[in-house]
Amino acid sequence: MSSRPSRGTARLAAILDALPDALVLVNANGTVVNANTIALEAFETPGTALVGRGLLDLLPHFDSRLIPGSMRRPDHIDPRARTKPTRMVARRTDGSEFPVEVTSANLETGQQAYDTYGYTGDELLMLVVRDLSGTVDTEAELARSQRQTEMILRAASEGVVGTDTDGRIVLVNPAAAQILGYRAGELGGRELHTLVLHSRADGSPFPYDESPLADTLRSGRKHRVRGQVLFAKSGDQLPVDLTTAPVRDGDQLVGAVMTFTDRRPYDALVEEHEEAERRHAEELERLAEEHAAELTGLRQRHAAELEELKEQHAEELAADADRYAALGEREKDRYEAIAGRHEQLLTLLGDSLRGPLDELRRELAALASDDAGQLWPEANQVLHHLSAGYSRITTLIDNVLGYQRLDVGNEQVARTKVMLDAVVAAGVDGAVELIGPGRVQFAVHAPPIEAEVDPRLLATALAHLVADVAGVDATGNSPVSATGGYLDNTVVVAAAQRGEVVRIEVRGPYAGGDPVHEPIVRGIVRAHGGVLQTHDVPGMSGSAFVLEVPIGGGAG
């Protein structure tokens, strides 16, 4: 405490500063004249002073009549003005509040030696202030926990009974009292075993030492008993499922708690269920007899109907067999006729027509070469044109024959790892051979993608697809635009990889779909396990074909 004391008072000040509670001295004017270190820490905030403040500023709820010199001091007060600990709210010098417990006492004139502020009054008021900030929170939490426990016990449908170490009842919830037929006040302090566990279900005595409650109180073990019998106040037996558990205070066993559930509603449900099962079994037996008689009649009728249906079905099968045999003969004849015509067409294209066309193309090429220079330029140009036309027809026949052999299975796809740009270039060259040089312009984009395909067949498919969208017919002529205006004759070929497939897009000025070109393209793509799709391009008169085939074992 702040002072200028003698040696004895200095020792007293040190002792007071060491106290765990705040100590405040107030004069007859209600002003704080001194305080120990704890009081300064509790009340005083930086920039403010505790000494010199009014007591009621610090303790607004303090009884002002207890201040020395008060004209309203009660007559019955202790001459030393000692008061019992009183809880109230204290206010720090910055205005913040906290809970405290206050005890006060008057100091006689002899205490003035401790007063370092020169106070000369007759007496001082000493207040001991204990900070309850943590205590109040703890007490509130304990009270809340106790209320919550009481509410849980009241709401529980199970009976709960607590006992001390002698087995006497110290706690019982409403459910336990209701099940046993007692009022809760009738059970307090009575021996639980003697009251409700004294006998077994057959009426024989149930010794206390053999009960689960006694073992729990003796050893601290938990017990769970199904079908235990308790005795109600009326003497009736109550079947219950019972559990006992120890109650400990730290390591010390201080009692036990017994919980039990009334089995009577459950047993009633079991009996009701067994009765329902019995009635159900009787009903099933009756229905089984009725159904057996009905099934016998149904089997007899079904057997007769089945025999009649078998006869009808046999007659229908005989008639259908004759009809299908005649139809099969007709279809066989048709197939043989179609196969004969197909073979005849292939022979005609492959032997009878292609051979003379090759011979004629060679002769025209020899004439067009004009080694002696005897032909007019116009005649030479016509001969070259005829030679190119016969070459185009020969190539077309070869490709049709190859597609036919692939379609009927006489020829297989020979896959090999090749670069896709080379295949695209071969396809463009093949298209030029089919439609003639200079008929269309090409815009080709083909990155070097490695794929496992049949390069010859795939190049043939691209050549026919380009010829299809270019719109050049078998004579080598392009159709005239319907509008009579300019028509862009550029054919775009773009290839790319999309995951595990190679995607080749072909766009041209015409819609395509020629009955000669398209079957060849679709057949080769299908043999590679791919697909051919057609897309309309906005703003263009033609179509875009997208050819997709698996990349196979290529590196991509």
Side-chain angles (χ1 to χ4, degrees), residues 202-225:
D202 58 1
S204 60
F206 187 19
Y208 172 74
D209 292 338
E210 299 178 9
S211 69
L213 176 64
D215 185 71
T216 297
L217 291 173
R218 183 170 53 249
S219 63
R221 288 190 294 262
K222 293 182 179 180
H223 290 278
R224 178 173 295 177
V225 183

Side-chain angles (χ1 to χ4, degrees), residues 64-106:
S64 60
R65 296 178 300 173
L66 300 177
I67 298 175
S70 173
M71 301 299 296
R72 300 181 297 111
R73 299 187 71 176
D75 297 333
H76 61 278
I77 193 169
D78 185 346
R80 300 294 299 272
R82 291 190 180 92
T83 60
K84 295 181 179 180
T86 304
R87 292 192 177 186
M88 61 185 67
V89 175
R91 184 181 298 152
R92 297 185 181 91
T93 55
D94 63 354
S96 60
E97 297 181 345
F98 61 101
V100 296
E101 184 180 73
V102 180
T103 304
S104 65
N106 283 349

Side-chain angles (χ1 to χ4, degrees), residues 143-155 171:
R144 187 193 65 80
S145 177
Q146 184 176 359
R147 288 195 302 271
Q148 185 177 13
T149 302
E150 292 176 355
M151 288 187 293
I152 292 173
L153 288 175
R154 290 181 179 277
L171 178 146

Side-chain angles (χ1 to χ4, degrees), residues 468-528:
D468 196 13
V469 298
V472 179
D473 59 14
T475 64
N477 297 319
S478 300
V480 180
S481 174
T483 60
Y486 171 75
L487 183 65
D488 186 7
N489 63 347
T490 301
V491 176
V492 178
V493 181
Q497 180 181 353
R498 293 292 184 269
E500 298 298 325
V501 300
V502 171
R503 177 187 175 96
I504 304 176
E505 181 177 350
V506 179
R507 297 198 306 270
Y510 294 96
D514 187 274
V516 174
H517 297 302
E518 187 174 6
I520 296 175
V521 179
R522 291 192 181 277
I524 294 175
V525 172
R526 184 170 58 249
H528 277 81

Side-chain angles (χ1 to χ4, degrees), residues 132-201:
L132 298 180
S133 298
T135 305
V136 170
D137 294 340
T138 303
E139 291 177 349
E141 180 64 23
L142 290 174
R144 187 193 65 80
S145 177
Q146 184 176 359
R147 288 195 302 271
Q148 185 177 13
T149 302
E150 292 176 355
M151 288 187 293
I152 292 173
L153 288 175
R154 290 181 179 277
S157 60
E158 295 182 339
V160 180
V161 179
T163 72
D164 57 14
T165 54
D166 295 328
R168 297 184 179 277
I169 298 173
V170 295
L171 178 146
V172 61
N173 71 334
Q178 181 182 4
I179 293 173
L180 297 173
Y182 289 92
R183 292 195 304 273
E186 297 176 339
L187 298 174
R190 301 181 66 177
E191 290 185 358
L192 179 60
H193 181 84
T194 305
L195 189 66
V196 298
L197 281 167
H198 50 78
S199 301
R200 294 187 172 90

Side-chain angles (χ1 to χ4, degrees), residues 342-464:
H342 178 70
E343 187 65 28
Q344 182 186 22
L345 178 61
L346 292 181
T347 304
L348 174 65
L349 292 175
D351 299 332
S352 303
L353 184 58
R354 191 183 183 287
L357 285 175
D358 282 343
E359 182 65 26
L360 184 57
R361 181 175 62 83
R362 285 193 297 270
E363 293 176 356
L364 288 173
L367 289 173
S369 64
D370 190 17
D371 297 333
Q374 299 176 357
L375 295 176
W376 293 93
E378 292 82 358
N380 187 275
Q381 183 178 2
V382 171
L383 289 174
H384 275 292
H385 179 72
L386 290 174
S387 177
Y390 278 110
S391 177
R392 182 168 58 253
I393 294 174
T394 303
T395 301
L396 184 61
I397 291 174
D398 288 341
N399 291 343
V400 171
L401 290 175
Y403 161 67
Q404 293 291 335
R405 288 191 294 270
L406 182 66
D407 191 49
V408 299
N410 293 334
E411 184 176 328
Q412 302 295 326
V413 174
R415 297 179 184 270
T416 182
K417 293 183 179 180
V418 295
M419 303 306 293
L420 188 62
D421 54 347
V423 176
V424 172
V428 172
D429 293 340
V432 172
E433 187 176 355
L434 286 173
I435 63 180
R439 297 303 180 91
V440 295
Q441 299 180 17
F442 291 95
V444 180
H445 174 72
I449 303 171
E450 186 182 42
E452 191 173 6
V453 296
D454 189 322
R456 180 182 62 82
L457 288 178
L458 191 56
T460 300
L462 286 174
H464 280 274

Side-chain angles (χ1 to χ4, degrees), residues 291-307:
H291 290 168
E294 293 178 0
L295 284 175
T296 300
L298 288 174
R299 287 195 185 97
Q300 293 174 354
R301 290 195 299 272
H302 179 68
E305 292 175 358
L306 185 61
E307 189 65 28

